[in-house]
Amino acid sequence: MSYLHDIVEEEPWSIHVLKIDRSRTDYEFHTTLAKGSALGLSTLSEQIKSLPREFGQPLGAVNGDFWKDGRQYDGDPTGLQIHDGELVSGPCARACFWIDPSGQPHATNVLAQFELISPEGLHVAFGLNEERTNGGAVLFTPTFGTSTHTRGGRELVLEPEGHHPAEWLPLRSGHTYSARIREIRETGDTPLEPGRAVLSLSSQVSERLSRLVVHSVLKFTLGTTPDLRGVKTAIGGGPMLVRAGKAVVFTGSQPRHPRTALGWNDRYFFLVVVDGRQSGLSVGMSFPELSTYLLKIGCTEAINLDGGGSSTFWVRGQVMNSPCQGSERPMANALVLVQKPKNTGAPRPPLLQP
């Protein structure tokens, strides 16, 4: 693992790069949760401190996905997140990054195929841990926070049916679950309790499922395309910047902003942050400029992550970049490189190279 601070004076650009050897079996990526839940915001440094010790020693990290900016759902990740195997947030229209069970990285758009099936055989699509829209249905789990934060609508409090509690929650991508209705509430903002989930229904969906009563059993499928069964780590972002060794072509206005990106080739991962909005230090990059730079350092695949005030680059206890707001901005989640515990028998990583 090596750190490079690349300064290009003529622009100017201040670029931070962490190069990670993919052959190191004691290295792995994890995502974080702000304040331990899917809803909320905290700084990158705070999120790293709260990472479970059993994951290992944090070595480097960058900010993660875009997030919803609003009073009720402030900090809700926009796209996919899988945290230590738990499906925390479903995908959106932008690209996602994940590592498959064999350890291979991927980045592309993911299509959610989340569906509930009523006792009468009705099929209803639903979202996961997100704001419920008009005409929609959302499944909330305790990882979301203390309550659903909804206003009105019918909400079904669910408990496992035919599962050992450990096989019910946390939810895993690609699995099918059965749940029994424990309680039906009509007031919204239902508390989220350990071992139970809440299905929140808009009035339109509630009418379709009007025959549901306490003790009715629902089935839930959490399929995706591509199939993410067995994935332990995934995070949303986008757009793609490099595909198959070629820069993605962008059209229209291409402004310069602070940027965060993740790239890789057959031998290395690259975490990259470009400072911006600081005329004497770094003006930021456009997407085409960032794609070109990622190709220059050797990436054959690369995805953009949240940028702007969120762009933060952390290595071994220190924020190495210059966030454009003057200090760390609270964020929804992050991508962290850890060294697994020493009992793996792997050698210690070398010191950072200047």
Side-chain angles (χ1 to χ4, degrees):
M1 183 183 82
S2 61
Y3 164 65
L4 169 68
H5 184 194
D6 191 3
I7 299 173
V8 182
E9 293 183 353
E10 57 266 28
E11 297 297 342
W13 283 330
S14 174
I15 309 161
H16 304 263
V17 181
L18 193 65
K19 185 177 180 180
I20 302 155
D21 187 348
R22 288 184 56 186
S23 69
R24 290 291 297 260
T25 59
D26 57 332
Y27 287 175
E28 67 182 9
F29 283 112
H30 286 276
T31 64
T32 58
L33 297 168
K35 300 181 179 178
S37 64
L39 190 64
L41 299 167
S42 62
T43 67
L44 178 57
S45 294
E46 290 169 339
Q47 292 187 34
I48 292 169
K49 288 178 182 178
S50 67
L51 200 70
R53 288 188 176 183
E54 59 267 25
F55 287 3
Q57 178 65 40
L59 300 177
V62 294
N63 58 289
D65 194 8
F66 302 86
W67 40 271
K68 185 174 179 62
D69 185 6
R71 180 176 299 177
Q72 284 183 281
Y73 292 88
D74 201 23
D76 174 23
T78 302
L80 177 69
Q81 184 175 5
I82 298 178
H83 170 71
D84 195 30
E86 177 180 1
L87 185 58
V88 172
S89 178
C92 66
R94 288 196 295 267
C96 315
F97 168 79
W98 73 95
I99 297 176
D100 69 26
S102 69
Q104 295 302 307
H106 301 268
T108 188
N109 292 72
V110 173
L111 175 66
Q113 296 169 318
F114 302 166
E115 192 174 60
L116 70 89
I117 306 171
S118 75
E120 296 79 34
L122 293 174
H123 292 243
V124 177
F126 65 89
L128 177 65
N129 289 335
E130 62 190 37
E131 185 174 8
R132 192 194 72 219
T133 59
N134 292 333
V138 175
L139 183 66
F140 292 94
T141 69
T143 302
F144 180 74
T146 58
S147 71
T148 63
H149 291 256
T150 52
R151 294 177 179 173
R154 173 168 291 186
E155 299 198 322
L156 314 178
V157 181
L158 306 173
E159 58 188 5
E161 197 280 330
H163 297 280
H164 186 278
E167 299 174 347
W168 156 236
L169 296 174
L171 299 178
R172 310 282 177 174
S173 181
H175 287 237
T176 298
Y177 299 89
S178 295
R180 187 184 304 276
I181 299 175
R182 177 186 177 90
E183 178 186 358
I184 298 178
R185 294 168 52 97
E186 306 289 347
T187 56
D189 199 23
T190 300
L192 293 167
E193 302 176 0
R196 294 174 186 160
V198 173
L199 180 65
S200 182
L201 306 176
S202 65
S203 57
Q204 296 94 321
V205 177
S206 183
E207 289 178 6
R208 290 186 60 197
L209 300 175
S210 60
R211 297 178 64 180
L212 294 179
V213 296
V214 172
H215 302 310
S216 293
V217 175
L218 300 172
K219 287 189 176 181
F220 296 87
T221 61
L222 291 167
T224 60
T225 301
D227 186 1
L228 301 182
R229 181 184 290 265
V231 169
K232 290 181 59 179
T233 298
I235 199 162
M240 292 298 297
L241 299 166
V242 177
R243 276 202 181 280
K246 295 183 180 180
V248 173
V249 176
F250 295 93
T251 59
S253 175
Q254 295 298 319
R256 286 173 159 178
H257 292 293
R259 302 290 185 187
T260 301
L262 166 67
W264 65 93
N265 58 33
D266 289 342
R267 296 185 60 192
Y268 300 102
F269 284 110
F270 301 86
L271 296 179
V272 178
V273 165
V274 183
D275 289 318
R277 300 176 186 167
Q278 300 166 78
S279 58
L281 174 72
S282 185
V283 295
M285 285 186 177
S286 67
F287 283 148
E289 288 170 335
L290 182 55
S291 298
T292 299
Y293 184 81
L294 292 164
L295 285 170
K296 175 185 172 182
I297 63 174
C299 298
T300 56
E301 303 284 338
I303 184 172
N304 180 68
L305 298 175
D306 189 15
S310 296
S311 287
T312 310
F313 189 94
W314 182 100
V315 178
R316 297 199 180 196
Q318 297 183 61
V319 174
M320 308 297 284
N321 74 310
S322 177
C324 67
Q325 295 182 346
S327 61
E328 288 188 73
R329 173 186 177 178
M331 59 190 66
N333 55 22
L335 186 66
V336 183
L337 175 74
V338 304
Q339 182 185 19
K340 293 186 286 187
K342 294 179 183 179
N343 59 14
T344 60
R348 291 181 61 82
L351 295 176
L352 290 178
Q353 300 174 13

